[in-house]
Amino acid sequence: MEEKISRQITRLNADSSGERLDALRQLKGWIDDGTIPTVAQNAECNNHVHSRYSFSPYSPSGIAWKAYRTGLSTCGLVDHESVAGAAEFKDACRIMGIAPTVGFEVRLNWDATPLKGRKFNNPDQMSVGYFPVHGVPVASLEAVEAFLKPIRRAREIRNRQMTARVDRILKAFGMGLHFERDVVPVSWWEKRGSITERHILFAAGQQMAGRYGRGAGLLRFLREELGVPVSVRAARYLADEKNPCYDFDLTNLLKGYFSEKMYIPAGHEETPHIRETIPFLQSLGCIPTYTYVGDVTGESVTGDKKVQQFEDGILDELFFYLDQYGVRAFSYAPARNTREQLARVQRLCAKYHMLEVLGEDINQPRQPFINTSMGAEEKKRFDTATWAIIGHEKAAEEEPSRGMYGDGAAERFPDIADRAAYFAALGRG
């Protein structure tokens, strides 16, 4: 029986959504008949999980399965510049008895604003910030896809140029990297997904592993020939030839080495302007959200970020202009910041009446779906916000203006806490 279960779990990453959902139904059937032990669902949420439609080890069905096995009661799909997984994700969550919420992530430029040329939450480029967009109503999915399609196409041009840069580095060692041959197959680009820098490096890592093998030979190449600094932890992961997360661990290591060598700045076709985009997305009933990174001045709390500055030096100005441009929600990840950083962000959220959204960004197999760093009260606040987003999607399902930020809701509940409580009750109902 274990072999049958394992086979169905593998099918959660099958090529077609129909096959993935069929595998999930089979697994749920085995839970219902007692073959697979049930997992008690708790009140916790995680509303920023990437699928293979951007960069992740999980399909939308795989996310629903992982969320159930972790004990989540709600889960949110957020892919870079794609909502192609939305329908499957909602079906998968219904199968597993989990409340879904759907969003996407887009980068916006701050040119022609007083903060032009400043560093936001993007480690690679000034004047550009990442904005997760939550609570996309079903009625707006088609319009959102029309908005995202030209952004993906613009990114494709840049991806090809960055692939060529990596190719030139690899050719010195008898290897090569081709966009169609190597990068597209490790993505879901042909299914209306996106390709990111991580896909390029994932494909480059496969070329290296194919030439040098996993383990000692590859580590020797990375250190002695390519000149990549390898931490003790990374060395331990990559020395293990049977490591099930090997390709992802290698990608993480290569990202630190290749980012500056390969990166090409994104243009305005790929990063629309914040002043124009926020009102447009809100007209579709979506909830654009700025996601906070915060400066890293020493060893990062999670150990995965180098020392660098992000928004802390402009945080007061940032909140002021986010408010001016209509952003009404702010996301952050308690596991990734210091208590002092979190306290400052929370004070500013209160000042500007921002909905505080949990921003744990899941795109790696080693990341836990449940946050273990938060206390009970903090979890309660984030859970309420997530259920409010779910309630917003329900209310805006046919008419976007009925959502959480429509005129009616704003007039009835001017206080964001009261509004969140109302929509959270609607979501839970």
Side-chain angles (χ1 to χ4, degrees), residues 213-250:
R214 295 186 174 191
L218 179 56
L219 274 170
R220 186 163 48 251
F221 163 73
L222 293 169
R223 286 169 166 154
E224 299 176 10
E225 297 188 54
L226 199 56
V228 178
V230 183
S231 69
V232 173
R233 181 171 60 176
R236 184 173 70 252
Y237 289 157
L238 298 181
D240 180 4
E241 299 177 21
K242 296 182 179 180
N243 168 11
C245 304
Y246 201 98
D247 290 333
F248 288 89
D249 293 331
L250 179 56

Side-chain angles (χ1 to χ4, degrees), residues 33-296:
D33 70 16
T35 302
I36 298 176
T38 59
V39 175
Q41 306 302 287
N42 56 47
E44 290 198 37
C45 310
N46 191 322
N47 59 7
H48 193 136
V49 184
H50 289 272
S51 81
R52 292 188 65 187
Y53 283 101
S54 49
F55 184 83
S56 170
Y58 310 110
S59 71
S61 295
I63 294 173
W65 174 250
K66 177 79 171 181
Y68 171 81
R69 298 299 295 171
T70 307
L72 296 181
S73 58
T74 74
C75 194
L77 176 70
V78 175
D79 278 317
H80 288 287
E81 298 142 3
S82 176
V83 288
E88 177 188 345
F89 182 69
K90 285 180 174 287
D91 286 344
C93 285
R94 276 191 283 269
I95 291 169
M96 299 310 302
I98 293 169
T101 175
V102 168
F104 61 94
E105 196 162 5
V106 68
R107 288 160 302 155
L108 304 180
N109 82 73
W110 289 75
D111 290 339
T113 77
L115 294 181
K116 177 183 178 180
R118 306 304 292 269
K119 185 75 165 286
F120 297 96
N121 53 13
N122 186 342
D124 301 310
Q125 187 171 346
M126 301 292 190
S127 293
V128 172
Y130 282 92
F131 284 78
V133 180
H134 294 288
V136 180
V138 171
S140 295
L141 283 170
E142 186 174 339
V144 167
E145 167 59 18
F147 164 70
L148 294 175
K149 186 175 180 179
I151 293 176
R152 292 198 303 270
R153 289 296 179 188
R155 189 168 190 170
E156 177 193 4
I157 295 171
R158 194 169 60 92
N159 281 333
R160 290 176 181 276
Q161 295 169 342
M162 290 192 291
T163 300
R165 287 190 174 186
V166 177
D167 176 60
R168 285 195 291 271
I169 295 172
L170 294 183
K171 278 182 176 175
F173 303 98
M175 294 175 283
L177 194 68
H178 189 270
F179 186 76
E180 271 89 7
R181 184 193 66 203
D182 304 315
V183 179
V184 170
V186 302
S187 74
W188 280 3
W189 168 251
E190 295 176 346
K191 307 178 195 293
R192 294 181 293 122
S194 64
I195 291 179
T196 70
E197 288 87 348
R198 288 183 184 273
H199 287 101
I200 298 170
L201 296 176
F202 189 94
Q206 290 189 333
Q207 296 295 306
M208 296 175 194
R211 181 174 178 85
Y212 295 97
R214 295 186 174 191
L218 179 56
L219 274 170
R220 186 163 48 251
F221 163 73
L222 293 169
R223 286 169 166 154
E224 299 176 10
E225 297 188 54
L226 199 56
V228 178
V230 183
S231 69
V232 173
R233 181 171 60 176
R236 184 173 70 252
Y237 289 157
L238 298 181
D240 180 4
E241 299 177 21
K242 296 182 179 180
N243 168 11
C245 304
Y246 201 98
D247 290 333
F248 288 89
D249 293 331
L250 179 56
T251 300
N252 290 340
L253 178 66
L254 294 178
K255 190 173 187 297
Y257 175 78
F258 275 97
S259 286
E260 293 182 3
K261 296 175 176 61
M262 68 183 282
Y263 191 77
I264 295 171
H268 287 182
E269 298 85 357
E270 193 180 329
T271 60
H273 198 278
I274 182 173
R275 286 180 186 268
E276 302 160 359
T277 307
I278 297 300
F280 168 72
L281 293 174
Q282 288 173 336
S283 74
L284 298 178
C286 304
I287 304 175
T289 305
Y290 182 88
T291 186
Y292 173 71
V293 175
D295 292 359
V296 182

Side-chain angles (χ1 to χ4, degrees), residues 46 66 70 360 362 364-372:
N46 191 322
K66 177 79 171 181
T70 307
E360 300 288 358
I362 306 297
Q364 303 286 323
R366 294 188 184 277
Q367 291 176 285
F369 269 44
I370 284 186
N371 187 303
T372 58

Side-chain angles (χ1 to χ4, degrees), residues 287 355 385 388-389 392 395-396 400-406 409-410 416 419-420 423:
I287 304 175
L355 181 71
I389 292 170
H392 160 86
S401 64
R402 296 176 184 170
M404 193 173 177
Y405 290 94
I416 188 60
R419 203 182 321 163
F423 278 90

